[in-house]
Amino acid sequence: MTQQALIAGGGIGGLAAALACARAGWHARLYERAAVFSEVGAGIQIGPNVVKVLHDWGLADALAAVAAFPKQLEVRSAVSGKTLGLLRLGEVIRQRYGAPYATVHRADLHGLLLAAVQQAGVTLRLNCTLNRFTQSAEAVTVQGPEGPALEGDVLVGADGLWSPVRQWLLGDGPPRSTGHLAYRALVRQADMPEALRSSQITAWLGPRLHVVQYPVRGGDWLNVVGIVQGEVPGALDDWDHGTDAAGLRAALAGSCTPLQDLVQAIPDWRLWALCDRPPLQGAYQHALGRVALLGDAAHPMRPYLAQGAGMAIEDAADLGRVLAQALDPALDVPTMLNRYALNRWQRNARVQARAIRNGQIFHASGLVRWGRDTSMKLLGERLLDVPWLYGGP
């Protein structure tokens, strides 16, 4: 009989998990609370460690059709505008790690994963909120919003930052506020002054803030994210607000003219309050029994290493590998999920910790800022490259 995987959450992590389960020979059933599949309007970066997974899943052409592949990352001072360091991407990074570095609209990545799971025969259920689970040595049972309970061999919590599955499993409370706010915008490059258009990734580092810009949608659109220190009023779980970006513009007072011109040229912004959790402390936070956590449900992280979606996709790939092995009657599912947790928790904890550290470095002032800038000028690419990450797990 085909093994059944129940997946909570229809975002990038949930779809990646469903695809990996289907490729492993399992029947995946995905349950999404929303009435439609959708993704927020924002770009993401996906390093070669993640692109390699998507290529292995047969999605190279689909990704190439929607992504941009910048040729370099440039780090600049938000104050002076001077270049602090460069990392060659494009063909250089592809040769080094076996896959390119890509930038993509979240909705485009979500869309290509959705098409892949539909083609793989995954059962998709919208407008479906799962309510608590029980598990035994033989199965996991989840109560849906109505009708009989759902039974499967595995429950995967890929239900995001505010994951109900995590709370049922671990009961460790809500995520924490980072004290950072993200202003995000997407703008068509043709609508921007020519001097502000860009085909590369640029990170502007300033005291208590930084701004990142990069192309998406084949280079036709520019994604811009400005992160400043502060708190947003209201409930943290209501995290997406329209804004005039006055707070970002005020924080950028005194920054260089090119950066101020970029922000002033963009009319429409969204505001997020950034939340995370402390780095994982053990494998038990990734899986217990027949229940596994994946992506932000397991390890929400700050965006300063650009690996949030990437670690969810890596999680999914590893989950698929262990579930393929679990088809062997001699290997029981809880043991294999524990192997998944053991494989993943230390790498994810390292990425979480590095992202926290990067945020401190990006926003540094005084002597720390001087040391950062000096080190970047001296070491350049050696400081910006991350071999342990981009080389894959």
Side-chain angles (χ1 to χ4, degrees):
M1 187 172 67
T2 304
Q3 299 270 47
Q4 304 284 322
L6 310 179
I7 298 163
I12 287 171
L15 291 175
L19 180 58
C21 289
R23 288 174 54 84
W26 285 55
H27 178 215
R29 292 185 280 165
L30 185 149
Y31 302 89
E32 165 57 39
R33 286 172 289 188
V36 295
F37 284 111
S38 65
E39 258 297 346
V40 296
I44 54 175
Q45 303 175 55
I46 49 177
N49 54 308
V50 185
V51 174
K52 191 180 300 182
V53 174
L54 297 174
H55 285 186
D56 288 345
W57 287 347
L59 299 175
D61 291 344
L63 180 64
V66 297
F69 299 92
K71 292 185 178 179
Q72 72 175 11
L73 161 66
E74 181 182 18
V75 181
R76 298 177 67 175
S77 166
V79 177
S80 69
K82 292 181 179 178
T83 297
L84 302 177
L86 292 171
L87 173 64
R88 293 170 296 165
L89 301 174
E91 183 62 19
V92 172
I93 215 82
R94 191 191 71 79
Q95 291 284 350
R96 189 175 296 164
Y97 296 115
Y101 195 109
T103 52
V104 62
H105 192 300
R106 289 187 71 95
D108 292 339
L109 179 58
H110 187 271
L112 70 87
L113 287 169
L114 178 59
V117 301
Q118 289 171 327
Q119 187 175 4
V122 172
T123 299
L124 302 174
R125 294 284 184 266
L126 290 167
N127 205 21
C128 185
T129 301
L130 302 182
N131 298 307
R132 294 201 172 270
F133 66 83
T134 57
Q135 59 174 318
S136 66
E138 292 76 31
V140 59
T141 303
V142 186
Q143 185 62 50
E146 56 187 32
L150 309 166
E151 186 174 280
D153 300 283
V154 163
L155 170 63
V156 180
D159 46 350
L161 176 67
W162 302 92
S163 166
V165 175
R166 182 189 181 106
Q167 291 313 304
W168 305 335
L169 185 67
L170 300 176
D172 58 355
R176 64 185 181 181
S177 169
T178 64
H180 291 186
L181 304 177
Y183 293 85
R184 301 182 188 270
L186 277 163
V187 61
R188 193 183 296 274
Q189 299 237 44
D191 296 336
M192 298 281 283
E194 189 169 351
L196 299 178
R197 300 172 194 173
S198 180
S199 61
Q200 68 174 27
I201 303 169
T202 305
W204 306 79
L205 308 186
R208 297 175 59 82
L209 65 88
H210 77 283
V211 177
V212 181
Q213 65 182 78
Y214 51 83
V216 295
R217 297 198 153 158
D220 292 340
W221 289 70
L222 189 68
N223 183 77
V224 182
V225 184
I227 297 181
V228 302
Q229 294 175 211
E231 300 286 350
V232 70
L236 287 174
D237 56 352
D238 181 23
W239 46 266
D240 182 10
H241 306 262
T243 180
D244 60 4
L248 176 60
R249 294 187 178 96
L252 289 172
S255 64
C256 64
T257 299
L259 178 55
Q260 294 204 46
D261 287 348
L262 172 69
V263 172
Q264 292 289 349
I266 300 172
D268 298 316
W269 295 81
R270 306 298 295 179
L271 174 63
W272 275 264
L274 298 182
C275 297
D276 72 347
R277 290 185 183 273
L280 291 163
Q281 297 298 302
Y284 73 94
Q285 292 177 303
H286 237 314
L288 285 172
R290 290 179 173 268
V291 181
L293 299 177
L294 180 146
D296 283 352
H299 43 73
M301 57 187 65
R302 304 182 190 193
Y304 312 132
L305 197 52
Q307 285 284 329
M311 289 300 101
I313 292 171
E314 276 195 13
D315 285 349
D318 203 83
L319 180 67
R321 282 190 287 270
V322 301
L323 291 185
Q325 296 169 24
L327 294 177
D328 183 342
L331 300 172
D332 67 277
V333 169
T335 296
M336 299 313 296
L337 286 188
N338 187 57
R339 180 175 295 179
Y340 155 77
L342 289 169
N343 287 347
R344 293 301 303 163
W345 83 267
Q346 288 176 307
R347 179 168 170 83
N348 284 319
R350 187 177 185 184
V351 174
Q352 286 176 292
R354 178 66 176 264
I356 291 170
R357 177 171 169 265
N358 275 9
Q360 296 166 344
I361 294 170
F362 289 0
H363 292 195
S365 58
L367 286 175
V368 176
R369 173 185 161 208
W370 178 86
R372 176 201 67 198
D373 293 355
T374 302
S375 298
M376 204 167 291
K377 289 174 183 175
L378 290 173
L379 299 174
E381 192 163 287
R382 288 170 56 195
L383 198 64
L384 294 171
D385 197 5
V386 195
W388 64 264
L389 177 62
Y390 296 150

